[in-house]
Each structure stands twice: as C-alpha cells, then as structure tokens.
Amino acid sequence: MVEARHDLMAQHGGQDAAQEEAPRRASVAAALADPAGALAERLGPGPHALIVLFAGEGAVLPQVLAGLTARYPRTEILGCTTAGEIGEDGYAEGHLVAIAFPASSFAVETVVIDPLSAIDSRRMVARLQQARLDLSRHADRLRHELALLLVDGVSGEEEFLIASLSGGLGPMPIVGGSAGDGHNFSRTQVFRGERVHDHAAIVCLIRSRMVMRTFSFDSTMPSRRQMVVTQADPARRIILRINDEPAAAEYARLLDCPLDNLGPELFATRPVLVRVGGRHFVRAIRDVGPGQSLLFFGAVAEGMVLTLSAETDIAAHLERALEGLSRDARPSLILGFDCVFRRIEVETRQRVAEVSALLARHRVAGFSTYGEQINGMHLNQTLTGVAFYPDGAGWA
C-alpha cells in the first residue's frame, strides 16, 4: 500500500527574519516523564509545517507521538528509530531529537510506503508525481524543493526503493537515512502521526523559502590491498567467499588479525570499498555470518572487486567538510544522517568529544543510521544530509 496525505501550509505572516524562517532543533532525554512536553516547550508553538523526530533507545513511541500530535494537531509529524542521535551537544544516546520547520517558510506532502516488500513501482511513481504536483500548486511561492526519505534499516530494500523514487521525483533532490535500532540490528521503525510502521518507508516532499543544499561526506581512502568476491548471495547481502576462501577468514587475513577479533570496531575502522564511476564507496560489513560469511548493509555481487580501506583521520576530515559548507554562507541548520559505523569509529579512536564539538558548532542535528541515501544511491559509512541557508545567502 502507498498512502499519501496533502498538508496545506499554514498561512502565517510577519516572520520574515531569517532566524524565524529557519528550522529549529531540540533534544531531550527519552527517559523524561513527559518528553513530548519538554520538546514542545523548546520548539515553541509554531505554526510548524513539519516536525521530524529521531527516537533513541528507551523512547516510548506511543506516549511521545500522542503527546506531540496533541500539541501540534495541524503539523505533519514523522520520524524513525535510531542507532544514536545528534543533538545540540553533538553525539547523544537515549534521546529524542526533533527538528521543527516553520510554516512561514516550508510546506510538505508526505507519502508512506508500506510494506516495502510489495512496492508497485508504476503506482508509486504516479503517487509521487501527484504529490509533487499538489505541493507545487499550494506552495508555488516557495521555489526550493527536496525529498526527505526515512526507511526501515534492516529491510534490505534501500537500493530498489531509491531507484523507484528517482523515477517518480524527477530532478527533485533526494536525501535520507535508514532507521536504526541501537547496535541490535534487529528491528527498526518509521512513524507518521501516531502510526508506527515496520518494514516501511516515508517520503516527505518539501518546498522551502530557504536554500537546501544536499551533501555526502566520506572520510575513507583506498589502500593497495584488493580482493575479489568469488561467491555471494546478493538477495540477502551476504558474501560467502573472497579470493575463493571463506569471506571472514580472508578479510581477517588481509587485516593481519585473528578471525575472533572481527567485530564492529574493525568493521568501522577498516571497511571495504567498491569502485563505481571512478569513486570508491564503502560497503559496510554488518556482522560475521554462518560458515565465516560476511553480512553487509549494501548491495554485493559475485565478481565484485573490493579494496581494503586505509587508516584516515575522521575528525580532521569532518572539520574540513563542515567548514566547506560554511565557506560562502553559514547554514542555519544542518540535517545529518551519520552512519553508525562512523560513530563506532569515532568511539574506537577516542575522538567523541572532538567530533561532538564539531557537530554542535556547525549546528548539525540528526541521527546515526544503518545506511544513507542521496539522489539515486544507497550508501554506507557517510555523513549525508542537507544544509539550510537563508534565500540569497551564498548558495543559489
């Protein structure tokens, strides 16, 4: 089923100041007695066209969503579960992070795709085209547009989904993240209003007065060590053999480490890369599977050539990348989808305080994902997102 909702942008004048047009972020501990009330106090009464909520471990979703919808009955509220959050102070855990988009400068249309396993591409394309047309009609004065995607992170459907969305959205930029479940990799959820979905995705089409610049940063670099996938199960994202040896054993040999040492820390700090279109992209390893296989978060195939990544400085790269977003104008806010394995790498290298300070200084809000999407690609181990700028300030 693909379900769409038309949300008219509330008419509200007198908020022409850039700070009043910009998205506003707030974060609170999920364990508070009334976390929805605490969020609402920090976000203000609005009117808001959209509130995006990222819910960390410990959040009682029915309570939180009921509280927010009661306080914002005319606002589109949507979001997902996380593998960690990015709030005002950088990395956080067990928090709720909310971003409110003022109705004076934003308008939205939302499409829910449920279930992912029964996507009818032709019908979905038609629904997306209609939603985009409806949004254009009632928000034609807002000239910048974007599609925000949140998807079940353990579905394994991201590649097919993003390809289908591209057919329905045309030139509209797409950016998003795969929902998380802490480090459990078991059950991830997306939600809209008070309804929580498993094995589903939410596409929110946005038009704005603000300039919205998408980006994707990847700090990894290729080493000279390569390997060939000689047996794989692409449907389940599993590599069984590398260089005609059990995949996990061969990966460990190339790392010069015992097989028993393989785990999230090594997967995060020494991922494997695949070269596509002249660029290297991470294929994040999820776990060691039966028979010394390797389970992945992205597409794999027999004959694929993988390159072991080299050691890099993730904090220094992040500082340069975020400074680049502020070169011509400083973003009012950056919505970031940060792969959980980047977070694990930061923790392993004991750079949490440094990276958190960078994220806070550059006004990044978002969550740690099981994968990221930008335009027609599903990625791993990136910081992908969108920066919001006042119209006419730097980026056109």
Side-chain angles (χ1 to χ4, degrees):
M1 176 187 71
V2 178
E3 153 192 331
R5 170 183 165 186
H6 179 73
D7 248 54
L8 288 177
M9 180 182 64
Q11 297 299 312
H12 184 68
Q15 293 189 349
D16 294 327
Q19 64 270 24
E20 294 179 338
E21 294 180 348
R24 176 179 297 183
R25 61 179 174 165
S27 61
V28 300
L32 291 179
D34 181 17
L39 283 174
E41 183 176 350
R42 302 191 66 180
L43 293 174
H48 305 306
L50 170 70
I51 294 175
V52 179
L53 177 69
F54 303 122
E57 288 189 286
V60 183
L61 282 179
Q63 173 193 346
V64 174
L65 297 177
L68 284 178
T69 54
R71 289 171 172 85
Y72 301 104
R74 295 177 60 82
T75 299
E76 182 73 283
I77 299 171
L78 54 87
C80 68
T81 57
T82 78
E85 304 78 58
I86 303 173
E88 289 107 324
D89 298 321
Y91 282 145
E93 291 185 0
H95 277 61
L96 297 166
V97 174
I99 303 171
F101 296 81
S104 60
S105 50
F106 291 87
V108 302
E109 289 279 349
T110 299
V111 174
V112 177
I113 304 167
D114 183 3
L116 284 171
S117 56
I119 292 175
D120 182 331
S121 294
R122 291 180 61 185
R123 185 166 178 260
M124 187 170 70
V125 165
R127 288 280 189 166
L128 290 169
Q129 289 175 339
Q130 184 61 54
R132 190 178 181 209
L133 179 61
D134 291 344
L135 181 60
S136 176
R137 284 173 175 165
H138 75 79
D140 60 343
R141 69 186 182 88
L142 306 176
R143 64 190 183 97
H144 305 289
E145 59 180 6
L146 175 77
L148 177 65
L149 172 65
L150 300 173
V151 56
D152 184 326
V154 294
S155 66
E157 302 283 354
E158 290 100 329
E159 284 92 358
F160 179 67
L161 172 65
I162 195 72
S164 301
L165 294 180
S166 298
L169 296 176
M172 178 181 277
I174 306 170
V175 68
S178 300
D181 175 32
H183 292 182
N184 301 311
F185 307 110
S186 176
R187 183 187 185 191
T188 66
Q189 298 175 303
V190 298
F191 45 82
R192 179 178 177 228
E194 294 186 59
R195 187 172 180 183
V196 181
H197 301 262
D198 292 273
H199 202 72
I202 294 174
V203 186
C204 184
L205 310 187
I206 301 173
R207 286 183 73 102
S208 177
R209 185 194 309 276
M210 302 193 76
V211 175
M212 299 180 287
R213 182 194 175 199
T214 61
F215 63 87
S216 186
F217 302 143
D218 174 4
S219 64
T220 58
M221 295 288 291
S223 73
R224 295 186 177 183
R225 294 190 177 186
Q226 293 188 323
M227 60 202 90
V228 178
V229 178
T230 48
Q231 187 179 358
D233 182 348
R236 296 191 295 159
R237 294 176 170 174
I238 298 175
I239 291 180
L240 300 166
R241 298 183 74 82
I242 291 173
N243 297 340
D244 210 25
E245 299 289 341
E250 182 67 358
Y251 171 67
R253 184 188 71 80
L254 291 168
L255 284 173
D256 298 320
C257 78
L259 179 62
D260 290 345
N261 285 7
L262 295 187
E265 291 79 12
L266 274 173
F267 299 152
T269 56
R270 299 300 302 276
V272 295
L273 315 176
V274 60
R275 188 176 176 89
V276 179
R279 289 183 57 194
H280 284 90
F281 296 93
V282 172
R283 283 293 184 267
I285 303 171
R286 174 175 166 182
D287 205 352
V288 176
Q292 297 183 8
S293 61
L294 290 174
L295 315 181
F296 282 75
F297 276 113
V300 296
E302 290 182 11
M304 179 182 284
V305 177
L306 301 175
T307 301
L308 191 65
S309 67
E311 299 275 357
T312 59
D313 187 333
I314 189 172
H317 180 274
L318 176 64
E319 183 171 22
R320 291 193 301 270
L322 291 175
E323 289 292 344
L325 288 177
S326 297
R327 185 168 295 120
D328 294 329
R330 189 181 185 196
S332 301
L333 181 131
I334 297 172
L335 171 56
F337 305 105
D338 190 47
C339 182
V340 64
F341 283 109
R342 285 175 56 90
R343 190 184 188 114
I344 293 172
E345 179 179 0
V346 168
E347 292 169 349
T348 300
R349 300 190 187 283
Q350 300 182 343
R351 310 291 290 276
V352 173
E354 182 181 356
V355 168
S356 287
L358 284 171
L359 294 169
R361 186 167 76 245
H362 288 274
R363 304 175 185 175
V364 180
F367 76 102
S368 294
T369 76
Y370 285 177
E372 307 81 58
Q373 296 82 42
I374 186 165
N375 299 326
M377 296 185 293
H378 170 63
L379 305 174
N380 296 126
Q381 215 145 329
T382 71
L383 172 60
T384 294
V386 55
F388 297 87
Y389 302 85
D391 194 15
W395 296 100

